[in-house]
Amino acid sequence: MKIISTNTAQPRTITWKGSEKVTGIFKTPNPKGIYLHPEGVKGDTIGNPKVHGGRAKAAYLFSEDWYPYWKEAYPTLDWHFGMFGENLTVKGMNEDDLLMGSLDQAGEAIIRITTPREPCFKLGLRFKDQGIIDSFVKHGHPGTYVEVLQPGFVRAGDPMELVELPKRKISIAAFFNMWYAREKDQTLIREVLDLPWISKQKQKQLQRWLA
């Protein structure tokens, strides 16, 4: 895998259902690179810390491989990397092969793959179409959040290389599909709950789904 683009955003105020909200989804490429820190990406904006950010969501990665699919679906948009709100656009990243808990080196940083992105209305605002949320879920390639274990700079052109595989082989795609499935895979839920780094927010929801 290879880092194609590093992206950040300045805060932008939007109006949603009559109330003003701050968002950082309108990211654009930062050619100087970005600094990954356990608490987040320096110089980036997190609009809602209750949903985004935190140690388990310090940065968001999305695959460059899926850009052609979405460009075809939304040909009139002004396309550039960072369109999905990702901090790192990564070539060759496939959620079917990306394992929760695996350790990777991206530039100077060591990161842990944590959980997939769950789309919300802000993605709809970014694409000027709230219908993209259902399409995004059906497409099944949501990108991933990461925890930063070793801080450092990441720049376009840096490799992203596997450092260590996790003991449990749960792919980001499998977890994402379960999250939105009507029938929840109870075995998968229990396996995820055993992961020591899973956020308390995720633990609470998974516990609710246990039969």
Side-chain angles (χ1 to χ4, degrees), residues 40-71:
V41 178
K42 285 194 174 182
D44 193 28
T45 298
I46 296 174
N48 185 355
K50 292 182 179 179
V51 180
H52 305 288
R55 297 189 73 88
K57 295 182 176 181
Y60 173 50
L61 283 57
F62 190 78
S63 179
E64 185 236 14
D65 299 28
W66 313 133
Y67 265 77
Y69 174 88
W70 292 109
K71 282 182 178 180

Side-chain angles (χ1 to χ4, degrees), residues 68-144:
Y69 174 88
W70 292 109
K71 282 182 178 180
E72 184 175 349
Y74 293 90
T76 62
L77 294 181
D78 181 17
W79 279 91
H80 54 76
F81 292 127
M83 290 288 288
F84 296 88
E86 78 271 18
N87 299 111
L88 298 178
T89 313
V90 185
K91 184 178 182 63
M93 190 181 82
N94 190 321
E95 292 85 344
D96 293 323
D97 304 319
L98 202 61
L99 300 181
M100 297 173 64
S102 64
L103 303 185
D104 290 81
Q105 179 157 6
E108 299 173 354
I110 302 293
I111 57 178
R112 173 187 280 134
I113 305 301
T114 55
T115 54
R117 186 254 196 88
E118 300 151 42
C120 70
F121 74 93
K122 292 181 180 179
L123 183 66
L125 291 174
R126 181 69 186 86
F127 278 75
K128 303 176 182 178
D129 174 26
Q130 291 299 322
I132 193 177
I133 297 173
D134 286 340
S135 300
F136 192 85
V137 170
K138 290 175 182 177
H139 188 237
H141 295 286
T144 186

